[in-house]
Amino acid sequence: MTSVTATAQGKVNLHLSVGDARDDGYHELTTVFQALDLTETVTLTVADVHQGVPAEMTDLVGTVTVTGRDASKVPAGDDLADNLAVRGVLSVLERYRDDLAGVPSATFPVLDILVDKGVPVAGGMAGGSADAAAAMVATREILHGPAAVDDGFDRTPRPDDAILAELAGRLGADVPFCLTGGTALGHGRGDVLAPVLTRGTYHWALAMDPRGLSTAEVFARLDDQRAAAARGERPDQRAGGPADAQRALLSGDVDVLAAYLNGSVANDLQAPAISLSPDLRRTLAAGMDAGALACLVSGSGPTVAMLCRDRGHAVDVATALSSEGVGGRAVPTTTAASSRHGARIVAPA
Ligand code: C5P
């Protein structure tokens, strides 16, 4: 049976400025994404071959199994439509079906999907988006890779990376970044990407919050806070442009990056995330007390990313937080380093 394994990375946002809400419910934003070496692994196995166009595309999904970090929190079973790995698989299969229109004797793979998680769930680190990205490149490989002709597939042109990126944007704002990975400037919903030059490797201690936060709720709270600011009820503090973050990354100097993160509002979603989950304020302070160079909420949170000097320093900060907890609460932690990878096939190599 043909099997393909792909990986994709989680991320932090080193800069995230949010603009106005759009008619489609999304907000215009400018962000600097950086991939981390926290990895989602998606393995697809051809369990069966379906003759002809299926009545329902979900007929092409066999078993869905989730293992690894926070696996129990990932939709599986009856909630398949909410599982981003499943949605990634289906998006590429739907494209294949549409391209095949009119081809008699079309055959489709029925795919068993195994997701092994390394990125915290609902943590603001794009774990679900990474599942979608890995699932997309794995599905393309099943349909167009070396085994595809023997398996009865590969009847259409292989979709290139630009086509996958377009499909990815329909699945979620962060999915296109998870395809390309590395360090990138995002505009629009975060899905219009340009690479960012960066030097060096950055090390992080990460403090997770098992309660998670809904991205949509964090954006909605930001809208509420800005409405309150417009009424003069609170200060309107906003992130500036991405240039300082880009300059810091180009310097390759962790102290320059720390000075940028400490010296300005780096993430417009931090205040609304704290408003929804006030313990975050304590976690941010505990990270600084433990010796981190700078701390920020990752994306829409609630993971707190603590910038450290090197890997050993990150282990020390992570250990200090997990052993002491914050405000009497246990704080699970891990460490991560920046990664140059995006979604890629890892097996067969
Ligand atoms: O695209 P994704 O599913 O990751 O987005 C989750 C939610 O976050 C959206 O439904 C929207 O409410 C909010 N969001 C936003 N503006 C963005 C990205 C996400 O308002 N640029």
Side-chain angles (χ1 to χ4, degrees), residues 25-27 29 172-173 189 215-216 219:
Y26 278 88
H27 293 70
L29 54 81
R189 296 179 305 148
T215 304
F219 274 97

Side-chain angles (χ1 to χ4, degrees), residues 315-326 329-333:
V315 170
D316 288 346
V317 170
T319 307
L321 257 80
S322 62
S323 61
E324 286 162 30
V326 176
R329 201 169 44 82
V331 177
T333 59

Side-chain angles (χ1 to χ4, degrees), residues 18 21-22 24-29 84 87 129 169 171-175 188-190 214-217 219-220 223:
V18 181
R22 314 193 312 194
D24 64 2
Y26 278 88
H27 293 70
E28 286 293 322
L29 54 81
L84 274 156
R87 293 179 62 200
S129 301
L171 296 179
D174 291 342
V175 184
R189 296 179 305 148
S214 147
T215 304
E217 281 176 32
F219 274 97
D223 290 340

Side-chain angles (χ1 to χ4, degrees), residues 272-344:
I274 290 172
S275 158
L276 287 166
S277 187
D279 285 345
L280 284 176
R281 199 184 296 282
R282 282 192 187 166
T283 311
L284 290 160
M288 296 306 284
D289 288 348
L293 304 179
C295 296
L296 82 165
V297 170
S298 173
S300 58
T303 304
V304 170
M306 300 169 278
L307 183 64
C308 296
R309 197 163 289 292
D310 53 34
R311 189 176 144 67
H313 184 209
V315 170
D316 288 346
V317 170
T319 307
L321 257 80
S322 62
S323 61
E324 286 162 30
V326 176
R329 201 169 44 82
V331 177
T333 59
T334 190
T335 61
S338 53
S339 165
R340 297 189 182 272
H341 294 306
R344 60 196 175 124

Side-chain angles (χ1 to χ4, degrees), residues 25-343:
Y26 278 88
H27 293 70
E28 286 293 322
L29 54 81
T30 302
T31 187
V32 177
F33 291 107
Q34 186 158 66
L36 297 178
D37 62 359
L38 296 179
T39 302
E40 298 286 295
T41 305
V42 175
T43 299
L44 303 181
T45 302
V46 181
D48 200 356
V49 175
H50 189 286
Q51 303 291 331
V53 176
E56 302 282 346
M57 289 307 278
T58 46
D59 294 348
L60 301 180
V61 179
T63 59
V64 179
T65 311
V66 184
T67 60
R69 191 195 296 273
D70 295 345
S72 61
K73 296 184 193 165
V74 177
D78 294 338
D79 304 328
L80 281 189
D82 297 333
N83 182 304
L84 274 156
V86 174
R87 293 179 62 200
V89 166
L90 290 177
S91 74
V92 178
L93 286 173
E94 277 163 15
R95 163 97 195 186
Y96 187 65
R97 175 201 61 195
D98 295 348
D99 285 352
L100 270 173
V103 174
S105 71
T107 55
F108 293 81
V110 177
L111 295 170
D112 287 344
I113 303 172
L114 171 63
V115 181
D116 187 41
K117 301 197 61 65
V119 181
V121 170
M125 303 190 72
S129 301
D131 292 345
M136 292 180 81
V137 298
T139 308
R140 176 172 66 180
E141 192 73 1
I142 294 275
L143 294 175
H144 303 283
V149 171
D150 283 348
D151 287 345
F153 315 129
D154 204 25
R155 306 285 292 270
T156 69
R158 175 188 172 93
D160 62 17
D161 289 349
I163 289 174
L164 282 203
E166 192 211 315
L167 298 176
R170 296 184 207 159
L171 296 179
D174 291 342
V175 184
F177 170 72
C178 290
L179 279 175
T180 56
T183 305
L185 184 61
H187 287 292
R189 296 179 305 148
D191 54 341
V192 180
L193 297 168
V196 167
L197 292 176
T198 176
R199 288 198 177 88
T201 301
Y202 298 91
H203 294 270
W204 302 88
L206 300 165
M208 279 85 79
D209 185 331
R211 292 166 292 189
L213 272 177
S214 147
T215 304
E217 281 176 32
V218 176
F219 274 97
R221 181 61 60 97
L222 176 68
D223 290 340
D224 293 345
Q225 289 184 335
R226 287 188 171 166
R231 295 192 300 270
E233 293 165 13
R234 54 178 286 136
D236 193 1
Q237 285 179 323
R238 297 187 183 218
D244 288 345
Q246 289 179 263
R247 261 194 291 276
L249 289 170
L250 204 47
S251 77
D253 182 340
V254 69
D255 290 309
V256 176
L257 184 61
Y260 152 70
L261 292 172
N262 289 324
S264 56
V265 177
N267 178 6
D268 276 338
L269 296 178
Q270 179 157 313
I274 290 172
S275 158
L276 287 166
S277 187
D279 285 345
L280 284 176
R281 199 184 296 282
R282 282 192 187 166
T283 311
L284 290 160
M288 296 306 284
D289 288 348
L293 304 179
C295 296
L296 82 165
V297 170
S298 173
S300 58
T303 304
V304 170
M306 300 169 278
L307 183 64
C308 296
R309 197 163 289 292
D310 53 34
R311 189 176 144 67
H313 184 209
V315 170
D316 288 346
V317 170
T319 307
L321 257 80
S322 62
S323 61
E324 286 162 30
V326 176
R329 201 169 44 82
V331 177
T333 59
T334 190
T335 61
S338 53
S339 165
R340 297 189 182 272
H341 294 306

